Amino acid sequence: MIIEPIVKGVVARNSHPAGCKQAILNQINYVKTAKPIESGAQKVLILGASSGFGLASRVSLAFGGASADTIGVSFERGPSDKGVGSAGWYNNIYFREQAEQAGLIAKNFVGDAFSPAMRAQVIEYIRAEFGGKVDLVVYSLATGIRPNPETGEMWRSSIKTVGEPVTGPTINIETDTMEQMTVGTATEQEIIDTEKVMGGEDWESWIEILSEAGVLATGCKTLAYSYIGGKSTYPIYHQGTLGRAKTHLHTTSDKLNEKLSAIGGSAHVSVCKALVTKASVYIPAFSPYILALYKVMKQQGTHETCIEQMQRLFSERVYTSGVTPIDSERLIRIDDWELDASVQQEVDKLIAKITPDNFAEVGDYEGYKTEFMQLNGFGFAEVDYQTRVDFDSLTQLQP
Ligand code: NAI
Ligand code: NA
């Protein structure tokens, strides 16, 4: 069969395996030539390893100097009668192939990272086949639902404001149009539920359970990712429900840092740059900011994608010979280039100009859309999309 992209709104409904492989190769090639991680993690567990920042962390730690063995947990769909499957499914497979060719362990667990069963499987694997301990745990889940571990009922996050509603334009990738929409105000319950899904509770629980199981090495570090963003985005992000959840994550990192200090370890949150990922395109009224940011950072030569961000994080922040640089709230700032004053000034000017008629010229819509399509394996010059893909051989591929 020939695989054509299917996009509904801002959600990709399929992926191209050959393009996913190309994306993995490109990320590996990048970190091999970038400033290396001098010495760092050897045994890493990544929760949310199949795309975005989690995948980039995995590639960076394996191929960017540290030669780490990795365990990746993710929630992805393989090929079935419903279709070819998700990009993350193939990312897991092709990452493992490349890592194994390089003599590294790359174990994939596909399933619900929130479940007790997943914790048990991962611990069992660490003990039996991964040398008994991990020295880094990366928490990079992004999702809209989390089961309550006590009742099994679902908490659902809401991407809403706290206080006043905000009306702003948002991109529809399917139709290449910008539509006005209103981001409503969250109820108290919606704020709490969003904290449950995207805050630090599950991260803390993972670290507790790994610690009790005795599988955290002396000096073990843990990291989670956050976003703060430019002032123009505060009403929809930093001061909204997602920002509340991130504040909870930051507080959790302080707690975990205390806990891990007992074994000479640490916990940090790294604040990252706004990027096109499966998760971020979903944030209403956020796209004009990303369009403007991409335009300005590309002009200034400071644009990074997930892989550049993660390689810089590990080589210049987390695994440096000195102490990890942090801000007054103990956050690692790898969003420094995004928040550069000259960048933000230019971004504000562009956002003021963006309308549904001119967004593709004023902002970097081409870059936005290209990155989105490539996340799903489409639009790589190196891939011949007219070559037929054999569905049966796809079903033979195992994570
Ligand atoms: P993503 O959507 O690319 O990756 C999310 C990962 O979580 C995937 O591997 C997915 O399979 C996994 N996942 C989701 N639900 C799961 C479940 N129940 N069980 C197991 N795995 C599950 O998202 P992205 O953007 O990489 O987000 C990761 C973190 O980075 C989030 O905390 C996000 O807030 C943060 N971040 C994102 C920014 C952006 O602009 N994209 C900016 C700054 C921080
Ligand atoms: Na991720």
Side-chain angles (χ1 to χ4, degrees):
M1 65 182 167
I2 302 282
I3 305 174
E4 301 276 0
I6 308 168
V7 177
K8 292 282 168 235
V10 295
V11 179
R13 288 289 164 82
N14 67 346
S15 66
H16 200 291
C20 294
K21 181 171 187 177
Q22 189 63 46
I24 295 286
L25 294 176
N26 290 356
Q27 293 191 49
I28 291 173
N29 288 337
Y30 168 74
V31 299
K32 282 185 173 170
T33 58
K35 183 179 169 191
I37 305 167
E38 295 290 353
S39 74
Q42 295 300 298
K43 295 279 180 184
V44 183
L45 168 61
I46 298 164
L47 304 163
S50 60
S51 63
F53 284 107
L55 173 62
S57 300
R58 196 177 195 187
V59 171
S60 167
L61 291 159
F63 291 96
S67 301
D69 291 329
T70 56
I71 301 170
V73 178
S74 61
F75 197 84
E76 301 293 346
R77 232 173 338 106
S80 71
D81 53 2
K82 294 204 180 88
V84 53
S86 58
W89 175 266
Y90 296 101
N91 292 341
N92 284 335
I93 290 166
Y94 294 120
F95 174 84
R96 180 181 50 72
E97 269 186 19
Q98 294 301 312
E100 286 176 353
Q101 276 174 33
L104 304 173
I105 300 172
K107 173 69 180 174
N108 294 316
F109 288 98
V110 180
D112 186 6
F114 294 120
S115 70
M118 182 59 81
R119 286 151 162 76
Q121 272 187 70
V122 167
I123 289 167
E124 178 53 31
Y125 178 79
I126 295 172
R127 284 181 176 149
E129 291 178 62
F130 205 62
K133 301 212 188 260
V134 294
D135 55 17
L136 173 67
V137 180
V138 173
Y139 191 87
S140 187
L141 298 181
T143 174
I145 52 172
R146 173 184 165 213
N148 180 330
E150 259 122 55
T151 65
E153 272 173 64
M154 291 293 172
W155 285 304
R156 284 169 203 283
S157 65
S158 307
I159 309 181
K160 290 192 175 177
T161 65
V162 174
E164 295 298 304
V166 171
T167 298
T170 208
I171 294 275
N172 182 326
I173 300 171
E174 181 185 355
T175 55
D176 297 312
T177 55
M178 193 167 234
E179 295 152 6
Q180 209 61 257
M181 66 172 301
T182 297
V183 187
T185 306
T187 63
E188 204 51 45
Q189 193 57 46
E190 287 172 329
I191 297 172
I192 292 168
D193 288 355
T194 307
E195 254 177 33
K196 288 286 181 192
V197 178
M198 287 299 285
E201 199 173 80
D202 181 66
W203 180 27
E204 183 176 353
S205 152
W206 264 100
I207 297 299
E208 291 281 342
I209 285 172
L210 294 168
S211 167
E212 278 164 24
V215 297
L216 299 180
T218 303
C220 181
K221 295 178 192 290
T222 187
L223 278 178
Y225 301 135
S226 183
Y227 185 67
I228 293 178
K231 290 221 163 60
S232 62
T233 66
Y234 278 12
I236 44 167
Y237 198 107
H238 184 53
Q239 293 165 346
T241 49
L242 285 175
R244 290 291 184 96
K246 290 305 186 188
T247 302
H248 187 273
L249 191 76
H250 302 175
T251 310
T252 304
S253 93
D254 294 336
K255 260 198 204 164
L256 294 179
N257 194 54
E258 267 203 45
K259 182 180 177 69
L260 290 178
S261 68
I263 55 165
S266 63
H268 284 99
V269 163
S270 170
V271 186
C272 302
K273 172 185 188 250
L275 276 169
V276 176
T277 67
K278 193 168 114 187
S280 71
V281 293
Y282 211 74
I283 305 173
F286 194 61
S287 37
Y289 176 78
I290 301 199
L291 292 185
L293 186 72
Y294 272 37
K295 186 92 169 191
V296 173
M297 292 187 84
K298 284 181 183 178
Q299 272 165 1
Q300 297 200 0
T302 55
H303 178 68
E304 296 174 302
T305 64
C306 290
I307 193 65
E308 286 94 353
Q309 278 266 292
M310 292 299 101
Q311 185 67 15
R312 196 155 67 87
L313 172 68
F314 292 114
S315 65
E316 296 185 14
R317 299 286 195 278
V318 179
Y319 294 108
T320 54
S321 45
V323 290
T324 293
I326 46 170
D327 71 6
S328 59
E329 289 170 53
R330 233 181 49 80
L331 300 168
I332 299 175
R333 304 306 296 260
I334 206 75
D335 61 345
D336 47 349
W337 297 351
E338 168 177 357
L339 295 191
D340 181 85
S342 71
V343 168
Q344 288 299 317
Q345 267 165 25
E346 288 306 308
V347 165
D348 287 346
K349 280 187 205 159
L350 289 189
I351 290 180
K353 278 190 211 153
I354 287 182
T355 67
D357 296 321
N358 70 13
F359 71 92
E361 295 84 57
V362 176
D364 180 26
Y365 183 60
E366 200 190 326
Y368 184 94
K369 178 135 186 189
T370 301
E371 275 185 25
F372 178 82
M373 297 310 285
Q374 290 190 343
L375 288 177
N376 301 297
F378 297 102
F380 285 100
E382 300 89 338
V383 175
D384 178 4
Y385 290 96
Q386 294 315 306
T387 303
R388 285 181 186 281
V389 179
D390 175 28
F391 188 82
D392 285 339
S393 60
L394 290 182
T395 63
Q396 304 300 309
L397 299 171
Q398 290 305 312

